[in-house]
Structures are given as C-alpha cells and as structure tokens.
Amino acid sequence: MTILSTKNLTKTYGKKTALSQINIEIPRGRIIGLLGPNGSGKSTFIKLAAGLLVPTDGEIIIAGEAPGVDTKAKVSYLSERTYLNDWMRVSEIIAFFEDFYEDFNRIKAENMLKDLNINPDDRLKTMSKGTKEKVQLILVMSRQAQLYLLDEPIGGVDPAARDYILNTIITNYKEDAAVIISTHLIADIEQILDDIIFINQGELVMSSSVDEIREAHNKSVDGLFREVFKC
Amino acid sequence: MLGKLIKHETRATSRIFLPLYGALLILTIFTKLALAFGAPDFFSDNVATNPVIEVVLGISFTLYFIAVVALSVMTLVMIIQRFYKNLFTDEGYLMFSLPVKTWELVLSKLLVGLIWSAVCTLMIVISFFILSLGSFTMMDLTQGISMAYTEFYSTFGTSLNVLIFEIMMLIVVSTISSILMIYVSIAIGQLFNQHRIVASFGAYIVITIALQIIGSILMAIFALGNLDAVISQGQDGEAMQMIHLLINGSTLCNVILCVGFYFATQYIMKNRLNLE
C-alpha cells in the first residue's frame, strides 16, 4: 500500500525550478534514501510532503490526502534546521510534543535521552549543535508516525551517535510506516536503506530498490551515486 | 488545538512579562513608601524636603518611569517578535509542521498579544492608582464620576455610558487592527526572496501611507456630507451626534481593516509560505 504518491509534482521559486514533474510512489514498510547533490531539490520535496510548502503544480498525496492538518498528524518531520526554542528545557519540549502529537511516546523519548546521556533538565541554550540535533531526532523518532521525513538527520552528529540513531530508525518504525531519509552521506546510511530515489536539478533520475542496484550494476549505492553524479 | 497553542504561547511570553510586571509593582510600592514616609507633602511647594530623600525620590521616580516605558515597549516588541521569530525563522519549521490550522496559529498569537496589551494597560493603571492613593478619597472619586454623568446628561441629553462603550469598542478594535497590520506586513515581507525584514518594514510604511490617504479622503467626504452640523457647532445635540458617527465610523473602518489584514496574512501563510 502506498503512503506517499506524487503526480507531476512541480515547485518553482520565482523563475527557479526546484522540482519538476516528479512522479513517484512510496510504499509502506520501507526505508527510502532520497539522494542527490546539494541543491537538487531534496529539501523541497520533503518540505512539500511535510506541508511547509504548497506545490506550484501537480499534487502530492499522503495517506490518501493532500498535506494539511490530518497528514501533519501522521507525518513526523525532522527539518534540516534546529527548530527548537533556545530557552526551553528538554523536558518542556517533550511536554510540547506530547500536547500536539497524539502519537508521541514519552517513555520512548526519555529512554533514548538516557541512552545518549542527555539530561532532560538541561536547557537547549547550553547544548552543542550536535546534541541539539540528537534531541530533535529523538523527538521525531518517539512518535508512532506513518511517515517519517528525515532531512539530513546525521549531518552534525558524531559517528558513535550515528550508529545509535540509525539503529533507532530501524527499530522504531512500525511495519506500516515508511521512512524517507534525505542525505548526501550515502555510505553511512546505505546499510539501512531498502530503496533509493536519485534526484538531480529537480528531476527524478532513478528510483529503484537497493537489491536491484547491487544486482544490475554490481555496485554499492554510494558507488553508483558517484558514477551517476560524476562532476 | 487552538487552546493548546494559546497555552504554549502564554507560557513562552509570560516568562518575559511576569518579571517585568513584578519589577513595576516593586518600583511602584517603593516609590509610594518613599513618598509617604520621606515626603508626605512632596507635591505642595512650600515645604522643604530633606535633600537625601529628594535624591531617593528622584531615582525611584526615574526608575518607575523607565519601567512604565519599558513595559509598553516590550509589549509591542513581543507582539512583533513572537509572530516573526516563532513562525518565520527556524522555529517556524516546528510550528508549521504541527497538526494545526494556519488560522489557529495566527489567532493564538493575536489573542495572547491582545491579552498582554490589556494586562499591560491594567498594570499601569493599577500602578498609577497605588501611587495616587491618599491624595483623594473614594468619596471624591465616586462623586466626581457621578457629577460627570449628570453634567453630560444635562448638556447632551444622552447617557455617558453609551459614549464610553463606543470609545472602548474603538480602542479594542483599533488595537486588534494595529496588531494585524504588523502581522500582514511581516507576512508580505516573506514573499520576497531576500531582505525580508526590510521588505516587511517597507510593507508597513506603504500600508500606513495608503491608509492615511484613504482616511483623509473619507474624512473629507464625511465633513462635506455633514456640512450643516459642522457649521452649526453651537447646537450640542447635533455635535454629539457627529461625534458618535465619527467614533462608530472609525470602529467600522477598523473592523474592515482587521478582516482584510487577517485574511491576507492567513492567505500568505497558507499558500505562499517559504521558510528560509
């Protein structure tokens, strides 16, 4: 069953085209890597799915609906920005998420904080950028969402935490949920991906399962990426 | 969800406002005590005051004045900052991915902004009242008020209540429209790809100028239409009628502005949002 589908999805900013005529279907139960060079339209795609942008043309459907209040309740979105208020304590942000998202699981969040040695009483102001990113990812993964949109989730965290986070992603999502991860750190996440979508300059270059790539091209995703996007 | 938004908005703003209100109250009480004990006859010129007490009073009055101004400025700054920073900077990524409607976001900011404006006014009134305690009695106050009522009735033949109510309405509505005008300017600024804050200021100035022009034209039409009343200034009843018309007309214009600003803001946020 499809969790996300697009039909001729197009987004332009003024004269600049960020996404053009994208048609994809994303099934439930998969981890999808949304891969492409900088400025290829990855973030635009994710923001459209998160309902932070409105398509210029075409449509995007999530769990049967156009992005809105209902889809936002089912979608857990990790932005590339650190979007948390500086003055808040971690425990206050947990209360915030608990208030607005019915599918938020406080116990899960508290356990993950403990695993990563983050004190819930700390204020975000006192944290490093990497720790803030960890907190944000914990919040996002503590939801029992149907679709996770992770925009550059591991960019700023250390390799040890990276493994923990990837592990959390694999173990935390339910069978009927899908995870879309946008990144250019392909080698790091390759082992957890089921499918990949390559986009470049706003256009869909390739959409395939990781197994197919390995069979057809006899290459790793990272290797194929380097070949396709060779400068 | 609107209730939850209001709750969290109040929480985010009260941590700034409550300490300020506390500071104002403490300064008020301190000034009042200094006045009461140090110089009970401070306001009558012929009594010489102790120079030390004069200095203390000077400082506390200055601090008090600063607190009043700071409170008013801070209220305005917070109204702007909460809308801009919380919705259109990085924090907006969180706010716009919450399962809430866009109008709920706008309304929650507006309502909390309004509440703080009202509380700010109330706090300043209370503080003036505390300072002036003892310089009049409750009897003076009630007598003064009832005299104003009878005098007004005997001159104009209507109750003062109606006029007060109309003025209150105008104040509330024009406060809302001025907040929404800030919101719509910020939202218009978001339509630009660069220099969004500058664009917001620009939008605010353009709207102000446009409103001035429209206002002058409306006033001119109003004056021409009521030429008789303007000329026959002597007759109190007619003059009063004109004042009523003027107040209610302004209220109506402000209501129209509110609706326009609100929907424009919401439209931009819903359909043209593009966070940096």
Side-chain angles (χ1 to χ4, degrees), chain A residues 75-126:
Chain A
V75 170
S76 193
Y77 165 59
L78 177 79
S79 79
E80 66 203 308
R81 307 292 186 98
T82 46
Y83 57 40
L84 303 171
N85 298 303
D86 257 359
W87 53 271
M88 272 186 166
R89 288 173 202 284
V90 177
S91 54
E92 289 171 322
I93 295 168
I94 288 181
F96 185 94
F97 267 69
E98 205 174 25
D99 243 7
F100 284 104
Y101 296 111
E102 274 175 26
D103 58 8
F104 186 79
N105 186 336
R106 170 185 279 270
I107 295 161
K108 222 175 198 176
E110 283 168 351
N111 286 337
M112 283 196 259
L113 286 171
K114 210 185 284 166
D115 286 344
L116 289 176
N117 289 318
I118 299 169
N119 183 353
D121 293 324
D122 280 354
R123 283 181 198 279
L124 278 131
K125 208 184 292 178
T126 62

Short mmCIF file of all heavy atoms in Angstrom, two decimals, chain A residues 75-126:
data_model
loop_
_atom_site.label_atom_id
_atom_site.label_comp_id
_atom_site.label_asym_id
_atom_site.label_seq_id
_atom_site.Cartn_x
_atom_site.Cartn_y
_atom_site.Cartn_z
N VAL A 75 2.57 12.51 9.97
CA VAL A 75 3.92 12.64 9.44
C VAL A 75 4.84 13.20 10.52
O VAL A 75 4.51 14.18 11.18
CB VAL A 75 3.93 13.59 8.22
CG1 VAL A 75 5.35 13.92 7.81
CG2 VAL A 75 3.17 12.96 7.06
N SER A 76 5.98 12.54 10.71
CA SER A 76 6.95 13.06 11.67
C SER A 76 8.12 13.63 10.88
O SER A 76 8.81 12.91 10.17
CB SER A 76 7.41 11.93 12.58
OG SER A 76 8.11 12.46 13.67
N TYR A 77 8.32 14.92 11.02
CA TYR A 77 9.25 15.62 10.14
C TYR A 77 10.44 16.16 10.92
O TYR A 77 10.29 16.86 11.92
CB TYR A 77 8.49 16.76 9.44
CG TYR A 77 9.35 17.80 8.77
CD1 TYR A 77 10.25 17.46 7.76
CD2 TYR A 77 9.24 19.14 9.13
CE1 TYR A 77 11.02 18.43 7.14
CE2 TYR A 77 10.01 20.12 8.51
CZ TYR A 77 10.89 19.75 7.52
OH TYR A 77 11.65 20.71 6.91
N LEU A 78 11.62 15.81 10.45
CA LEU A 78 12.84 16.36 11.02
C LEU A 78 13.42 17.34 10.02
O LEU A 78 13.82 16.95 8.92
CB LEU A 78 13.85 15.25 11.30
CG LEU A 78 15.20 15.74 11.84
CD1 LEU A 78 15.08 16.05 13.32
CD2 LEU A 78 16.29 14.72 11.61
N SER A 79 13.44 18.61 10.37
CA SER A 79 13.94 19.60 9.41
C SER A 79 15.46 19.64 9.46
O SER A 79 16.08 19.15 10.39
CB SER A 79 13.37 20.97 9.70
OG SER A 79 14.08 21.55 10.78
N GLU A 80 16.03 20.25 8.45
CA GLU A 80 17.49 20.39 8.42
C GLU A 80 17.93 21.46 9.43
O GLU A 80 19.08 21.53 9.82
CB GLU A 80 17.92 20.79 7.02
CG GLU A 80 17.40 22.17 6.70
CD GLU A 80 17.25 22.50 5.25
OE1 GLU A 80 18.22 22.32 4.52
OE2 GLU A 80 16.17 22.97 4.88
N ARG A 81 16.99 22.32 9.84
CA ARG A 81 17.31 23.37 10.80
C ARG A 81 17.08 22.87 12.22
O ARG A 81 16.28 21.98 12.44
CB ARG A 81 16.40 24.59 10.59
CG ARG A 81 16.38 25.12 9.19
CD ARG A 81 17.72 25.72 8.86
NE ARG A 81 17.70 26.37 7.55
CZ ARG A 81 17.53 27.67 7.37
NH1 ARG A 81 17.36 28.46 8.40
NH2 ARG A 81 17.55 28.17 6.17
N THR A 82 17.76 23.51 13.18
CA THR A 82 17.40 23.23 14.56
C THR A 82 16.25 24.17 14.90
O THR A 82 16.42 25.37 14.98
CB THR A 82 18.56 23.48 15.53
OG1 THR A 82 19.15 24.72 15.20
CG2 THR A 82 19.59 22.41 15.45
N TYR A 83 15.08 23.60 15.04
CA TYR A 83 13.88 24.43 15.16
C TYR A 83 13.39 24.59 16.59
O TYR A 83 12.31 25.10 16.82
CB TYR A 83 12.78 23.91 14.25
CG TYR A 83 12.35 22.47 14.44
CD1 TYR A 83 12.22 21.90 15.69
CD2 TYR A 83 12.05 21.68 13.32
CE1 TYR A 83 11.82 20.61 15.85
CE2 TYR A 83 11.64 20.37 13.47
CZ TYR A 83 11.53 19.84 14.74
OH TYR A 83 11.11 18.55 14.89
N LEU A 84 14.15 24.15 17.57
CA LEU A 84 13.67 24.21 18.94
C LEU A 84 14.02 25.54 19.59
O LEU A 84 15.07 26.12 19.32
CB LEU A 84 14.26 23.06 19.75
CG LEU A 84 13.96 21.68 19.17
CD1 LEU A 84 14.76 20.62 19.89
CD2 LEU A 84 12.48 21.39 19.27
N ASN A 85 13.12 26.02 20.45
CA ASN A 85 13.36 27.27 21.18
C ASN A 85 14.57 27.10 22.08
O ASN A 85 14.65 26.14 22.82
CB ASN A 85 12.18 27.61 22.07
CG ASN A 85 10.93 27.84 21.27
OD1 ASN A 85 10.93 28.68 20.40
ND2 ASN A 85 9.90 27.07 21.55
N ASP A 86 15.44 28.08 22.05
CA ASP A 86 16.64 28.02 22.86
C ASP A 86 16.39 28.01 24.36
O ASP A 86 17.11 27.40 25.12
CB ASP A 86 17.53 29.24 22.53
CG ASP A 86 18.67 28.83 21.65
OD1 ASP A 86 18.75 27.63 21.34
OD2 ASP A 86 19.48 29.69 21.28
N TRP A 87 15.35 28.71 24.77
CA TRP A 87 15.14 28.92 26.20
C TRP A 87 14.48 27.73 26.89
O TRP A 87 14.39 27.68 28.11
CB TRP A 87 14.30 30.18 26.44
CG TRP A 87 13.03 30.20 25.68
CD1 TRP A 87 12.86 30.69 24.42
CD2 TRP A 87 11.77 29.68 26.08
NE1 TRP A 87 11.56 30.51 24.02
CE2 TRP A 87 10.87 29.89 25.01
CE3 TRP A 87 11.29 29.05 27.24
CZ2 TRP A 87 9.53 29.50 25.07
CZ3 TRP A 87 9.97 28.66 27.29
CH2 TRP A 87 9.10 28.90 26.22
N MET A 88 14.02 26.77 26.09
CA MET A 88 13.28 25.66 26.68
C MET A 88 14.22 24.59 27.24
O MET A 88 15.32 24.40 26.76
CB MET A 88 12.41 25.00 25.62
CG MET A 88 11.05 25.62 25.48
SD MET A 88 10.10 24.62 24.32
CE MET A 88 8.46 25.24 24.62
N ARG A 89 13.73 23.89 28.25
CA ARG A 89 14.40 22.69 28.72
C ARG A 89 13.91 21.52 27.87
O ARG A 89 12.81 21.56 27.32
CB ARG A 89 14.03 22.40 30.17
CG ARG A 89 14.61 23.35 31.16
CD ARG A 89 14.04 23.06 32.54
NE ARG A 89 14.16 24.21 33.41
CZ ARG A 89 15.28 24.61 33.98
NH1 ARG A 89 16.38 23.93 33.79
NH2 ARG A 89 15.32 25.68 34.73
N VAL A 90 14.72 20.45 27.82
CA VAL A 90 14.33 19.28 27.04
C VAL A 90 12.97 18.75 27.53
O VAL A 90 12.09 18.41 26.74
CB VAL A 90 15.39 18.17 27.14
CG1 VAL A 90 14.94 16.94 26.40
CG2 VAL A 90 16.72 18.67 26.58
N SER A 91 12.79 18.75 28.86
CA SER A 91 11.53 18.22 29.41
C SER A 91 10.33 19.06 28.96
O SER A 91 9.24 18.54 28.76
CB SER A 91 11.60 18.20 30.93
OG SER A 91 11.93 19.48 31.42
N GLU A 92 10.55 20.38 28.79
CA GLU A 92 9.46 21.24 28.34
C GLU A 92 9.11 20.97 26.88
O GLU A 92 7.94 21.02 26.49
CB GLU A 92 9.84 22.72 28.53
CG GLU A 92 9.88 23.14 29.98
CD GLU A 92 10.47 24.53 30.18
OE1 GLU A 92 11.44 24.89 29.47
OE2 GLU A 92 9.98 25.25 31.04
N ILE A 93 10.14 20.67 26.09
CA ILE A 93 9.88 20.37 24.69
C ILE A 93 9.15 19.04 24.56
O ILE A 93 8.27 18.87 23.71
CB ILE A 93 11.19 20.35 23.90
CG1 ILE A 93 11.78 21.76 23.91
CG2 ILE A 93 10.96 19.90 22.48
CD1 ILE A 93 13.18 21.81 23.43
N ILE A 94 9.50 18.10 25.43
CA ILE A 94 8.78 16.82 25.43
C ILE A 94 7.30 17.06 25.73
O ILE A 94 6.42 16.52 25.06
CB ILE A 94 9.42 15.85 26.44
CG1 ILE A 94 10.77 15.38 25.90
CG2 ILE A 94 8.50 14.67 26.72
CD1 ILE A 94 11.50 14.40 26.78
N ALA A 95 7.03 17.94 26.70
CA ALA A 95 5.64 18.25 27.04
C ALA A 95 4.93 18.90 25.85
O ALA A 95 3.76 18.63 25.59
CB ALA A 95 5.60 19.18 28.25
N PHE A 96 5.67 19.73 25.13
CA PHE A 96 5.12 20.39 23.93
C PHE A 96 4.72 19.36 22.88
O PHE A 96 3.61 19.37 22.37
CB PHE A 96 6.20 21.34 23.38
CG PHE A 96 5.76 22.20 22.23
CD1 PHE A 96 5.27 23.48 22.44
CD2 PHE A 96 5.87 21.74 20.92
CE1 PHE A 96 4.88 24.28 21.38
CE2 PHE A 96 5.48 22.54 19.85
CZ PHE A 96 4.99 23.81 20.09
N PHE A 97 5.64 18.44 22.60
CA PHE A 97 5.35 17.40 21.60
C PHE A 97 4.18 16.52 22.06
O PHE A 97 3.33 16.15 21.27
CB PHE A 97 6.59 16.54 21.35
CG PHE A 97 7.42 17.02 20.20
CD1 PHE A 97 8.12 18.21 20.27
CD2 PHE A 97 7.48 16.29 19.02
CE1 PHE A 97 8.87 18.66 19.20
CE2 PHE A 97 8.23 16.73 17.94
CZ PHE A 97 8.94 17.92 18.03
N GLU A 98 4.17 16.21 23.35
CA GLU A 98 3.13 15.35 23.88
C GLU A 98 1.75 16.01 23.72
O GLU A 98 0.76 15.34 23.45
CB GLU A 98 3.41 15.10 25.37
CG GLU A 98 2.82 13.84 25.90
CD GLU A 98 3.27 13.58 27.33
OE1 GLU A 98 3.63 14.55 28.04
OE2 GLU A 98 3.28 12.42 27.74
N ASP A 99 1.73 17.34 23.86
CA ASP A 99 0.49 18.09 23.75
C ASP A 99 -0.06 18.09 22.33
O ASP A 99 -1.26 18.01 22.11
CB ASP A 99 0.75 19.53 24.19
CG ASP A 99 -0.06 19.89 25.41
OD1 ASP A 99 -0.70 18.98 25.96
OD2 ASP A 99 -0.05 21.07 25.81
N PHE A 100 0.83 18.22 21.37
CA PHE A 100 0.36 18.43 20.00
C PHE A 100 0.27 17.14 19.18
O PHE A 100 -0.49 17.07 18.22
CB PHE A 100 1.25 19.44 19.27
CG PHE A 100 0.98 20.85 19.69
CD1 PHE A 100 1.85 21.51 20.55
CD2 PHE A 100 -0.15 21.51 19.26
CE1 PHE A 100 1.60 22.81 20.95
CE2 PHE A 100 -0.42 22.81 19.64
CZ PHE A 100 0.46 23.46 20.49
N TYR A 101 1.08 16.14 19.53
CA TYR A 101 1.05 14.91 18.75
C TYR A 101 0.50 13.77 19.58
O TYR A 101 1.09 13.39 20.59
CB TYR A 101 2.46 14.55 18.26
CG TYR A 101 3.05 15.57 17.32
CD1 TYR A 101 4.13 16.35 17.71
CD2 TYR A 101 2.54 15.73 16.03
CE1 TYR A 101 4.68 17.28 16.84
CE2 TYR A 101 3.09 16.65 15.16
CZ TYR A 101 4.16 17.43 15.57
OH TYR A 101 4.71 18.34 14.72
N GLU A 102 -0.64 13.25 19.12
CA GLU A 102 -1.26 12.17 19.88
C GLU A 102 -0.41 10.91 19.88
O GLU A 102 -0.50 10.09 20.78
CB GLU A 102 -2.64 11.86 19.28
CG GLU A 102 -3.73 12.75 19.85
CD GLU A 102 -5.05 12.52 19.17
OE1 GLU A 102 -5.26 11.41 18.67
OE2 GLU A 102 -5.86 13.46 19.15
N ASP A 103 0.40 10.74 18.82
CA ASP A 103 1.18 9.50 18.70
C ASP A 103 2.55 9.59 19.38
O ASP A 103 3.40 8.73 19.19
CB ASP A 103 1.33 9.12 17.22
CG ASP A 103 1.99 10.23 16.41
OD1 ASP A 103 2.46 11.21 17.02
OD2 ASP A 103 2.03 10.12 15.18
N PHE A 104 2.76 10.66 20.17
CA PHE A 104 4.06 10.82 20.81
C PHE A 104 4.18 9.90 22.02
O PHE A 104 3.29 9.84 22.86
CB PHE A 104 4.25 12.28 21.23
CG PHE A 104 5.62 12.57 21.78
CD1 PHE A 104 6.69 12.75 20.92
CD2 PHE A 104 5.84 12.64 23.15
CE1 PHE A 104 7.96 13.01 21.42
CE2 PHE A 104 7.11 12.90 23.65
CZ PHE A 104 8.17 13.08 22.77
N ASN A 105 5.30 9.21 22.11
CA ASN A 105 5.53 8.27 23.20
C ASN A 105 6.62 8.79 24.13
O ASN A 105 7.81 8.74 23.83
CB ASN A 105 5.94 6.91 22.61
CG ASN A 105 6.06 5.84 23.66
OD1 ASN A 105 6.28 6.13 24.84
ND2 ASN A 105 5.93 4.59 23.24
N ARG A 106 6.18 9.32 25.27
CA ARG A 106 7.10 9.98 26.20
C ARG A 106 8.17 9.02 26.72
O ARG A 106 9.36 9.39 26.83
CB ARG A 106 6.31 10.56 27.37
CG ARG A 106 7.15 11.05 28.52
CD ARG A 106 6.29 11.49 29.68
NE ARG A 106 5.78 12.84 29.46
CZ ARG A 106 6.43 13.94 29.85
NH1 ARG A 106 7.59 13.84 30.43
NH2 ARG A 106 5.93 15.12 29.66
N ILE A 107 7.75 7.79 27.04
CA ILE A 107 8.70 6.83 27.63
C ILE A 107 9.85 6.54 26.67
O ILE A 107 11.02 6.51 27.05
CB ILE A 107 7.96 5.54 28.02
CG1 ILE A 107 6.95 5.87 29.13
CG2 ILE A 107 8.93 4.47 28.49
CD1 ILE A 107 5.87 4.86 29.32
N LYS A 108 9.47 6.37 25.41
CA LYS A 108 10.47 6.13 24.38
C LYS A 108 11.48 7.27 24.33
O LYS A 108 12.70 7.06 24.29
CB LYS A 108 9.75 6.03 23.04
CG LYS A 108 10.25 4.94 22.14
CD LYS A 108 9.35 4.92 20.93
CE LYS A 108 9.49 3.62 20.20
NZ LYS A 108 8.56 3.54 19.07
N ALA A 109 10.96 8.48 24.36
CA ALA A 109 11.83 9.66 24.29
C ALA A 109 12.77 9.70 25.49
O ALA A 109 13.98 9.93 25.35
CB ALA A 109 10.98 10.92 24.23
N GLU A 110 12.22 9.45 26.66
CA GLU A 110 13.04 9.52 27.87
C GLU A 110 14.13 8.44 27.87
O GLU A 110 15.27 8.70 28.27
CB GLU A 110 12.16 9.41 29.11
CG GLU A 110 11.44 10.73 29.39
CD GLU A 110 10.34 10.62 30.43
OE1 GLU A 110 10.00 9.49 30.82
OE2 GLU A 110 9.81 11.68 30.82
N ASN A 111 13.78 7.25 27.36
CA ASN A 111 14.79 6.19 27.28
C ASN A 111 15.92 6.55 26.33
O ASN A 111 17.10 6.32 26.62
CB ASN A 111 14.15 4.88 26.83
CG ASN A 111 13.34 4.27 27.96
OD1 ASN A 111 13.59 4.56 29.13
ND2 ASN A 111 12.37 3.46 27.60
N MET A 112 15.55 7.12 25.19
CA MET A 112 16.59 7.48 24.22
C MET A 112 17.48 8.58 24.77
O MET A 112 18.70 8.56 24.56
CB MET A 112 15.94 7.92 22.91
CG MET A 112 15.44 6.76 22.07
SD MET A 112 15.11 7.26 20.38
CE MET A 112 13.35 7.43 20.44
N LEU A 113 16.88 9.54 25.48
CA LEU A 113 17.69 10.61 26.10
C LEU A 113 18.70 10.01 27.06
O LEU A 113 19.86 10.40 27.09
CB LEU A 113 16.79 11.59 26.85
CG LEU A 113 15.96 12.56 26.00
CD1 LEU A 113 14.97 13.31 26.87
CD2 LEU A 113 16.85 13.54 25.25
N LYS A 114 18.23 9.02 27.82
CA LYS A 114 19.10 8.38 28.79
C LYS A 114 20.26 7.67 28.07
O LYS A 114 21.41 7.79 28.45
CB LYS A 114 18.29 7.37 29.63
CG LYS A 114 18.84 7.20 31.04
CD LYS A 114 18.09 6.12 31.80
CE LYS A 114 16.72 6.57 32.29
NZ LYS A 114 15.89 5.40 32.72
N ASP A 115 19.91 6.95 26.99
CA ASP A 115 20.94 6.23 26.22
C ASP A 115 22.01 7.16 25.69
O ASP A 115 23.18 6.79 25.59
CB ASP A 115 20.29 5.49 25.05
CG ASP A 115 19.52 4.26 25.53
OD1 ASP A 115 19.75 3.84 26.67
OD2 ASP A 115 18.69 3.75 24.75
N LEU A 116 21.60 8.36 25.30
CA LEU A 116 22.57 9.29 24.71
C LEU A 116 23.11 10.29 25.75
O LEU A 116 23.72 11.30 25.40
CB LEU A 116 21.95 10.04 23.53
CG LEU A 116 21.72 9.18 22.30
CD1 LEU A 116 21.00 9.96 21.21
CD2 LEU A 116 23.02 8.63 21.74
N ASN A 117 22.86 9.99 27.02
CA ASN A 117 23.37 10.83 28.11
C ASN A 117 22.96 12.29 28.01
O ASN A 117 23.78 13.19 28.18
CB ASN A 117 24.90 10.76 28.18
CG ASN A 117 25.36 9.42 28.68
OD1 ASN A 117 24.78 8.89 29.62
ND2 ASN A 117 26.37 8.88 28.04
N ILE A 118 21.68 12.52 27.70
CA ILE A 118 21.19 13.89 27.68
C ILE A 118 20.26 14.09 28.86
O ILE A 118 19.33 13.33 29.06
CB ILE A 118 20.45 14.19 26.36
CG1 ILE A 118 21.41 14.01 25.18
CG2 ILE A 118 19.88 15.61 26.35
CD1 ILE A 118 20.74 14.02 23.84
N ASN A 119 20.55 15.11 29.65
CA ASN A 119 19.75 15.39 30.84
C ASN A 119 18.49 16.16 30.45
O ASN A 119 18.58 17.23 29.87
CB ASN A 119 20.61 16.22 31.81
CG ASN A 119 19.89 16.49 33.10
OD1 ASN A 119 18.71 16.20 33.25
ND2 ASN A 119 20.60 17.09 34.05
N PRO A 120 17.31 15.62 30.79
CA PRO A 120 16.05 16.29 30.40
C PRO A 120 15.89 17.67 31.01
O PRO A 120 15.08 18.46 30.53
CB PRO A 120 14.96 15.35 30.92
CG PRO A 120 15.64 14.07 31.20
CD PRO A 120 17.07 14.36 31.48
N ASP A 121 16.64 17.97 32.07
CA ASP A 121 16.50 19.28 32.69
C ASP A 121 17.42 20.33 32.08
O ASP A 121 17.35 21.50 32.45
CB ASP A 121 16.77 19.18 34.19
CG ASP A 121 15.69 18.38 34.89
OD1 ASP A 121 14.52 18.50 34.46
OD2 ASP A 121 16.00 17.61 35.81
N ASP A 122 18.25 19.92 31.15
CA ASP A 122 19.15 20.88 30.51
C ASP A 122 18.37 21.79 29.57
O ASP A 122 17.42 21.37 28.92
CB ASP A 122 20.23 20.14 29.71
CG ASP A 122 21.35 19.65 30.60
OD1 ASP A 122 21.33 19.99 31.79
OD2 ASP A 122 22.23 18.92 30.09
N ARG A 123 18.84 23.03 29.51
CA ARG A 123 18.27 23.95 28.53
C ARG A 123 19.00 23.79 27.21
O ARG A 123 20.19 23.51 27.17
CB ARG A 123 18.43 25.39 28.99
CG ARG A 123 17.45 25.77 30.06
CD ARG A 123 17.64 27.23 30.46
NE ARG A 123 17.01 27.47 31.74
CZ ARG A 123 15.70 27.68 31.91
NH1 ARG A 123 14.90 27.70 30.86
NH2 ARG A 123 15.20 27.88 33.10
N LEU A 124 18.26 24.00 26.12
CA LEU A 124 18.88 23.83 24.81
C LEU A 124 19.99 24.82 24.56
O LEU A 124 20.93 24.56 23.82
CB LEU A 124 17.81 23.95 23.73
CG LEU A 124 17.11 22.61 23.61
CD1 LEU A 124 15.64 22.73 23.63
CD2 LEU A 124 17.62 21.88 22.40
N LYS A 125 19.87 25.99 25.22
CA LYS A 125 20.86 27.04 25.06
C LYS A 125 22.26 26.54 25.38
O LYS A 125 23.24 26.92 24.76
CB LYS A 125 20.49 28.20 26.00
CG LYS A 125 20.95 29.56 25.53
CD LYS A 125 20.61 30.61 26.57
CE LYS A 125 19.12 30.82 26.68
NZ LYS A 125 18.74 31.79 27.71
N THR A 126 22.34 25.65 26.39
CA THR A 126 23.64 25.19 26.85
C THR A 126 24.18 24.02 26.03
O THR A 126 25.28 23.54 26.31
CB THR A 126 23.54 24.73 28.32
OG1 THR A 126 22.63 23.61 28.37
CG2 THR A 126 23.01 25.82 29.22
#
